[in-house]
Amino acid sequence: MNKPTFKIHTLGCKVNQYDSGDLKRKLIFAGFELAEKNADLAIVNTCAVTKTAIRKNRQAVARARKENPEAKIILTGCWPKVYKKEAEKMGADLAWDGKAEELVKGIMNNELRIRDRDKNKNFPPKAPACPVGRDPPSAGKSKLQNI
């Protein structure tokens, strides 16, 4: 059985770098596999501090779509938190303004309202059940048990 795959594009500060690493660990623990291209899920962790950052967000969404044409594209980070309506118009399937653990739970339990460009494609594809209540190995004090 093939594992569902993901790719994370990170823009901005050290907080975003940390959040992307945390999201990566949670997705791997939940049964996803990291991919460079053609992922099932592409997450763009955005910044909204400057106009340049917002321009780079748009470029990252376009790059994520180009590198992962069949992927569900999710925007997270500062941009959807500060400019949610604008972020929702960028062609992503979901603009997420919540916490990483809630995002992983929603993906795994198919609870998110991710726009479906391909009505015949289930998402997440062949994902295992969400490992609620278990901490990922070497993740320290993870909030994963709260999902």
Side-chain angles (χ1 to χ4, degrees):
M1 175 167 93
N2 291 337
K3 291 182 176 184
T5 57
F6 73 97
K7 169 76 176 172
I8 300 176
H9 302 263
T10 305
L11 300 134
C13 65
K14 289 183 181 184
V15 172
N16 278 10
Q17 298 291 328
Y18 175 83
D19 288 347
S20 289
D22 188 43
L23 190 54
K24 175 183 170 184
R25 282 187 299 278
K26 284 176 169 65
L27 285 168
I28 289 171
F29 183 69
F32 279 72
E33 189 172 279
L34 187 62
E36 285 301 313
K37 290 187 177 182
N38 298 316
D40 298 308
L41 175 67
I43 299 171
V44 182
N45 192 353
T46 63
C47 177
V49 175
T50 65
K51 288 182 181 180
T52 301
I54 291 172
R55 179 179 47 80
K56 288 181 179 181
N57 293 338
R58 289 187 180 103
Q59 291 170 344
V61 170
R63 184 172 55 251
R65 179 73 65 213
K66 182 178 179 182
E67 292 175 358
N68 309 283
E70 299 296 319
K72 296 293 186 181
I73 307 290
I74 297 177
L75 290 180
T76 189
C78 302
W79 198 24
K81 289 177 183 164
V82 178
Y83 303 108
K84 185 160 179 105
K85 296 239 188 258
E86 182 182 338
E88 288 174 340
K89 296 177 185 175
M90 286 311 306
D93 299 300
L94 177 69
W96 182 257
D97 61 355
K99 296 180 180 180
E101 56 267 10
E102 294 166 353
L103 177 59
V104 174
K105 177 186 175 191
I107 291 167
M108 297 308 299
N109 296 330
N110 227 359
E111 296 171 347
L112 300 178
R113 296 186 185 276
I114 299 176
R115 279 187 285 211
D116 194 358
R117 288 173 279 123
D118 180 356
K119 298 294 182 199
N120 297 319
K121 187 174 181 183
N122 291 328
F123 192 82
K126 300 179 186 171
C130 187
V132 176
R134 299 189 325 211
D135 285 331
S138 73
K141 293 191 175 192
S142 170
K143 293 183 179 179
L144 190 59
Q145 64 270 15
N146 294 332
I147 343 185

